[in-house]
Amino acid sequence: MHKEFLMGNEAIGRACIAAGVNLVAGYPGTPSTEVLETIAKENDGSIYVEWSVNEKAALEVAAGAAYSGARTLVTMKQVGLNVASDPLMSLEYVGVKGGMVVLVADDPGPISSQTEQDTRTFAEYSKVPCFDPSDAKEAYEMIFEAFELSEKYGTPVFMRPTTRVCHSYQSIDVRDYAEYEDHRPEGFVKDSKRWVIFPKLSYANHAKIEERNDKLSAEFSYRSSPNTFIEGNTTYGVISQGISFANALDIVTKARSDKKQVPSLLKISTPFPFPDKLVSTFLNDVDEVLVIEELDPYIERHVLQLCGKNHIDVKITGKLTGHVARSGENMPDLVQKYISDFMGWELPSCEKMNTPELPVRPPVLCAGCPHRASFYAVKKAMKGKETIFAGDIGCYTLGNAMPLDMVDTCLCMGAGLGIAQGVGRVKPDTKCFAFVGDSTFFASAITGVVNAVYNQADMTLIVLDNSTTAMTGHQPHPGTGHTMMGEFTDKIDIESIFRGIGVETVVRQDPFKLDEAVEVVKKVADEPGVKAILFEAPCAVLFKPETPYEVDLDKCVDCKMCIREIGCPGVVLKDGHVAIDTALCNGCGLCSQVCPCNAIGKAVKE
Amino acid sequence: MSTTNIILCGVGGQGTVLASKLTAAASMSKGLSVRSAETIGMAQRGGSVLSYLRIGTCSSPLIGSGCADLIIGFEPAETVRALSYLKQGGTVITSDRAMMPVTAALQGSAYEGSKMTDYLKSLEGGLIGKLVIVNTDKALADLGSAKVMNMVLLGAAARGGFLGEVGIEDIKEALVKKVKPQFHELNFKALEYASI
């Protein structure tokens, strides 16, 4: 063992390597992405790692490997689990041979997600055992346990950290290389009674799964389980999980050192199967319990159920009683308030500050981002027309911000295509556009194109092709020409996909040639049926900036059209006049094409 | 053992992460435990970012209101935004250079960085026990690089004794291990730059 300072996701990745994982597949999504990246970067070349086209594909690839006896890891964010849920629900009934850990990162807040769904609830629904770590250290140690449990009981196992666990760093003990485990899978052994799901098999296995989960509930109630009990000096109890527990522990530790009366603490790190015995024992020694958890009132419901089942007379408070907020994160201040109210402690008073007005700083498309140019071209071309601009998931969701205001809807990966079709069905005169990024296109938009062509929709599909998965940190995908194993492959060509499906009009266009781009949009949008424009320009983050632009103050009339029209962070106001922030400017030149006075041009080098 | 709580704040892309990692490495080499947390994802794109860094024994990487011993601010308005974290008499080390959000340009009202630094000065001796404002434009011109702002601010914190048990020599040692040799001299100069 030696100490390292690791991010939660790095710790999970490193633990998987040390546990002898053979195959890792996933789809990028904040806050889960760094787990797979760590394994790809840190392993000795013996582990197969892929970014799959989406979460469903990842889970299926891993299932095949796990059938063959390999230790496997699948990574995704919580909404990715919705995509992977079809194979996973069935896989639980079939089971695995090699250990399979399904890492699903939840995002209370949400900080960068569409939903505040709770994978613990999904675990119960799918009957898949679930671990819920409270920090990087616990996550590291749990991975070994998760693989062992998975192999012992032949079931996939959830590992579900939340954002604050995924993205927090901690100095932790990690195994030396000599301590790494080595797993040699034997390969797939034919046994159709085991690997082919039929109603009869599902019926038989269902009963076994329920029995197994009862057994696991008892196992998780043992002292050696990761669930932790810390005795207080009152008959009050706090039950918690994850980062909420870490915050609660800091607050209670401080209160204890201040000689306050403190509650007993119980941390639930194995939410499913719920450790009934452990919690019942805890409930027997307290009169009142506060449950502090993020997302669903998952623990609280189980505690209430136990009280009912075992006739335990304890007052339970939490989300269901309005004592804990039902949405958002449990940050230290909130946990301090919850526990103080519960224990009757006085809250530290804080003075109101007369802070000057602070600038609002919403996230924006980067300076030089090609999406800005694409959105602006469509906006100009469609000015005055009845339109719908259906957006999608990626950096380009930020196209909704003023002044572009070019994203009317955003739902989930790949949904924009269907939404544009639906809007058009209701009001056929509407010019329907769907914007989709290249990675999202491969992940889940192709079926939408097939649907549109087959059902003869009238719409324009705009592919914002920047040749990467930008939002999550530039992962490769089928259109980039390389894999996560570092191999070069043939790029899957988006235009050919369209042509194969039967889209006749497919135009490739550089969005930074503004006038040309506007004309292309006008022409294409007027054609009937399904047509596509591929706006192709690389992500601004991946390329060295070109010569920055500058404003010729003699020509500039301060109309501020550049600022009002495109909202680039590189175009700023300086002493009341328009100026280019050369540190930010990427030299894309869009502003110079918007300027009516020809006042913006490439900076002349001194 | 007491915990030193540090907030690093700025705008996405300003490089708060290296400063936080160096401090962590320096702390670990002294046998101290460290926890930190940072903003990753959509918010990074030009949004406000805040990192927590805690040296010593603790369970959570997060810091509550009024609990930070030190705020290292890479942007004056972001420093003011983070003030609720500062404990009474805590230290603030900040850059004076304002970063304009797109919204400010759109509304036609550039905000003044000096308003923020004036406000910080007005709190000195009250909420703020020790205030160090770094003239960033001058510093970067003097040092000849736009990339070492983080080391200027971190150096001020270390030399002022605001990183708990971690001193400037510990930071330098950590820096030598993390940064390529050709950048050592520049970074050392940056660490020693600010007057405190």
Side-chain angles (χ1 to χ4, degrees):
Chain A
M1 288 283 201
H2 63 281
K3 270 219 189 308
E4 282 190 56
F5 187 59
L6 294 177
M7 186 201 274
N9 280 346
E10 289 173 338
I12 292 168
R14 294 282 293 275
C16 289
I17 298 173
V21 75
N22 305 109
L23 177 141
V24 182
Y27 188 78
T30 313
S32 71
T33 313
E34 298 84 1
V35 174
L36 189 144
E37 288 180 328
T38 299
I39 299 173
K41 201 172 112 200
E42 305 279 343
N43 89 86
D44 60 7
S46 61
I47 302 174
Y48 175 77
V49 185
E50 73 168 40
W51 280 128
S52 306
V53 70
N54 64 23
E55 295 84 355
K56 175 173 148 68
L59 197 117
E60 289 157 351
V61 168
Y67 289 173
S68 310
R71 279 200 162 182
T72 61
L73 173 77
V74 194
T75 76
M76 64 196 74
K77 67 183 292 177
Q78 88 283 39
V79 286
L81 180 58
N82 303 338
V83 179
S85 65
D86 197 5
L88 184 62
M89 292 298 293
S90 301
L91 183 65
E92 174 56 16
Y93 279 74
V94 170
V96 292
K97 189 158 88 183
M100 180 194 265
V101 174
V102 182
L103 175 115
V104 183
D106 281 357
D107 186 24
I111 299 174
S112 41
S113 303
Q114 306 96 296
T115 69
E116 279 204 294
Q117 64 192 70
D118 193 325
T119 298
R120 297 175 304 166
T121 303
F122 195 100
E124 183 164 36
Y125 172 57
S126 59
K127 310 181 193 303
V128 174
C130 180
F131 287 92
D132 180 12
S134 64
D135 64 14
K137 177 176 181 286
E138 191 173 25
Y140 185 86
E141 289 157 5
M142 270 180 178
I143 283 289
F144 300 96
E145 210 171 324
F147 275 115
E148 270 161 37
L149 189 147
S150 172
E151 269 158 19
K152 185 173 168 194
Y153 293 103
T155 174
V157 172
F158 275 127
M159 178 77 174
R160 85 102 203 198
T162 59
T163 307
R164 297 293 181 179
V165 174
C166 293
H167 287 166
S168 65
Y169 287 78
Q170 188 183 354
S171 41
I172 63 171
D173 287 317
V174 296
R175 290 190 189 182
D176 299 324
Y177 189 69
E179 297 167 286
Y180 284 12
E181 294 170 36
D182 188 20
H183 283 265
R184 302 279 163 95
E186 64 166 331
F188 185 70
V189 178
K190 290 194 185 201
D191 181 357
S192 63
K193 285 196 185 65
R194 181 171 180 187
W195 303 122
V196 180
I197 193 163
F198 267 114
K200 201 176 148 201
L201 178 82
S202 299
Y203 171 75
N205 284 357
H206 184 187
K208 287 182 199 159
I209 289 165
E210 299 296 350
E211 238 172 75
R212 176 206 74 205
N213 281 346
D214 287 347
K215 208 170 146 196
L216 275 176
S217 165
E219 261 186 44
F220 288 156
S221 294
Y222 295 155
R223 275 197 171 277
S224 62
S225 80
N227 303 309
T228 311
F229 169 70
I230 296 164
E231 200 169 2
N233 50 18
T234 59
T235 55
Y236 289 88
V238 170
I239 306 180
S240 193
Q241 52 75 228
I243 195 75
S244 306
F245 173 81
N247 289 331
L249 182 55
D250 275 343
I251 287 157
V252 169
T253 305
K254 168 91 175 30
R256 204 188 285 265
S257 71
D258 292 344
K259 309 275 181 241
K260 281 187 183 142
Q261 295 286 299
V262 295
S264 294
L265 293 176
L266 182 63
K267 178 187 65 180
I268 304 296
S269 297
T270 59
F272 184 78
F274 197 72
D276 285 355
K277 270 190 193 152
L278 174 78
V279 177
S280 293
T281 312
F282 182 82
L283 291 174
N284 283 331
D285 293 333
V286 292
D287 296 329
E288 271 189 53
V289 163
L290 172 68
V291 184
I292 306 177
E293 59 192 318
E294 286 174 330
L295 305 175
D296 288 348
Y298 174 89
I299 295 173
E300 193 179 351
R301 282 197 296 249
H302 275 273
V303 172
L304 284 168
Q305 191 176 310
L306 273 179
C307 287
K309 198 165 116 187
N310 299 336
H311 306 287
I312 302 169
D313 184 18
V314 174
K315 187 180 170 192
I316 311 293
T317 55
K319 286 175 183 260
L320 296 173
T321 54
H323 291 81
V324 172
R326 293 191 178 193
S327 59
E329 291 188 274
N330 286 331
M331 296 298 273
D333 289 0
L334 268 182
V335 176
Q336 176 81 56
K337 183 183 177 304
Y338 298 150
I339 298 181
S340 299
D341 288 351
F342 181 61
M343 297 302 296
W345 298 342
E346 220 172 282
L347 262 180
S349 66
C350 56
E351 280 172 52
K352 265 255 172 261
M353 291 197 281
N354 289 319
T355 315
E357 198 187 333
L358 292 169
V360 194
R361 231 184 264 283
V364 287
L365 293 171
C366 303
C369 175
H371 301 335
R372 177 178 290 103
S374 305
F375 280 127
Y376 187 64
V378 177
K379 186 175 185 173
K380 264 193 103 171
M382 289 297 114
K383 201 171 178 186
K385 297 216 162 89
E386 183 97 357
T387 51
I388 160 91
F389 301 123
D392 225 297
I393 305 285
C395 288
Y396 49 98
T397 316
L398 298 173
N400 79 320
M402 296 306 272
L404 285 172
D405 190 19
M406 280 297 287
V407 176
D408 294 329
T409 68
C410 178
L411 186 65
C412 70
M413 292 282 287
L417 276 94
I419 288 170
Q421 291 165 46
V423 169
R425 296 291 173 203
V426 176
K427 218 173 170 196
D429 300 343
T430 313
K431 292 275 178 208
C432 301
F433 284 81
F435 292 86
V436 67
D438 42 343
S439 184
T440 306
F441 178 80
F442 287 111
S444 58
I446 297 174
T447 46
V449 182
V450 176
N451 191 67
V453 172
Y454 168 57
N455 289 302
Q456 301 174 56
D458 188 346
M459 66 173 295
T460 307
L461 178 56
I462 307 273
V463 181
L464 302 167
D465 186 358
N466 58 2
S467 301
T468 190
T469 318
M471 178 103 270
T472 47
H474 304 103
Q475 291 75 21
H477 64 64
T480 59
H482 60 281
T483 70
M484 204 53 185
M485 294 297 281
E487 288 157 348
F488 289 93
T489 62
D490 286 336
K491 291 181 186 179
I492 297 180
D493 179 48
I494 298 178
E495 182 180 345
S496 305
I497 295 176
F498 280 125
R499 300 224 182 267
I501 293 172
V503 179
E504 281 167 15
T505 302
V506 186
V507 183
R508 306 173 98 113
Q509 175 64 39
D510 176 354
F512 287 121
K513 291 180 178 156
L514 182 61
D515 292 341
E516 228 178 87
V518 172
E519 284 316 306
V520 161
V521 175
K522 278 185 186 161
K523 187 169 158 284
V524 170
D526 265 347
E527 290 180 22
V530 181
K531 52 269 172 192
I533 301 170
L534 279 59
F535 277 125
E536 297 173 314
C539 173
V541 177
L542 289 185
F543 286 84
K544 272 202 167 162
E546 293 190 27
T547 319
Y549 278 62
E550 63 184 8
V551 180
D552 183 342
L553 288 175
D554 293 336
K555 288 187 188 165
C556 178
V557 295
D558 268 327
C559 69
K560 302 197 180 81
M561 190 143 157
C562 48
I563 291 175
R564 282 200 322 268
E565 289 288 299
I566 57 173
C568 174
V571 187
V572 296
L573 280 180
K574 213 170 179 182
D575 310 321
H577 299 291
V578 175
I580 308 280
D581 184 336
T582 48
L584 285 177
C585 178
N586 219 50
C588 77
L590 183 65
C591 54
S592 72
Q593 299 175 66
V594 170
C595 176
C597 307
N598 210 11
I600 309 178
K602 272 198 186 205
V604 186
K605 280 194 179 152
E606 284 159 24
Chain B
M1 196 167 75
S2 69
T3 312
T4 306
N5 295 325
I6 304 164
I7 297 276
L8 296 105
C9 58
V11 176
Q14 281 191 310
T16 54
V17 178
L18 181 65
S20 142
K21 282 201 171 165
L22 272 184
T23 314
S27 311
M28 277 174 71
S29 69
K30 297 187 79 94
L32 300 163
S33 350
V34 193
R35 286 180 192 265
S36 76
E38 63 200 38
T39 321
I40 293 175
M42 189 181 250
Q44 278 176 297
R45 305 263 184 265
S48 306
V49 294
L50 190 100
S51 296
Y52 305 86
L53 180 64
R54 308 188 71 190
I55 305 167
T57 312
C58 56
S59 302
S60 171
L62 308 177
I63 298 169
S65 293
C67 294
D69 301 279
L70 168 67
I71 294 176
I72 300 181
F74 288 64
E75 205 277 349
E78 295 312 312
T79 306
V80 172
R81 206 190 301 277
L83 274 181
S84 62
Y85 286 102
L86 194 69
K87 73 174 185 198
Q88 194 68 30
T91 304
V92 173
I93 298 173
T94 185
S95 159
D96 68 346
R97 190 212 259 168
M99 300 269 291
M100 290 302 150
V102 177
T103 44
L106 277 176
Q107 290 152 2
S109 59
Y111 95 89
E112 305 282 331
S114 59
K115 254 190 203 155
M116 298 298 155
T117 45
D118 286 349
Y119 176 66
L120 291 170
K121 283 176 197 158
S122 77
L123 297 175
E124 210 177 353
L127 173 67
I128 302 177
K130 168 83 184 168
L131 175 67
V132 179
I133 297 174
V134 176
N135 180 335
T136 297
D137 287 333
K138 184 174 182 309
L140 300 184
D142 289 351
L143 292 162
S145 166
K147 292 190 172 159
V148 289
M149 192 57 226
N150 47 7
M151 291 306 116
V152 174
L153 297 171
L154 184 63
R159 285 183 294 119
F162 305 120
L163 298 178
E165 293 175 47
V166 178
I168 185 73
E169 293 309 318
D170 303 315
I171 295 286
K172 283 184 178 168
E173 234 172 79
L175 191 138
V176 168
K177 286 182 199 152
K178 284 234 187 253
V179 177
K180 285 185 189 155
Q182 64 263 42
F183 299 117
H184 287 174
E185 204 194 318
L186 171 65
N187 279 289
F188 284 161
K189 260 169 72 187
L191 285 171
E192 298 287 352
Y193 181 84
S195 44
I196 40 172

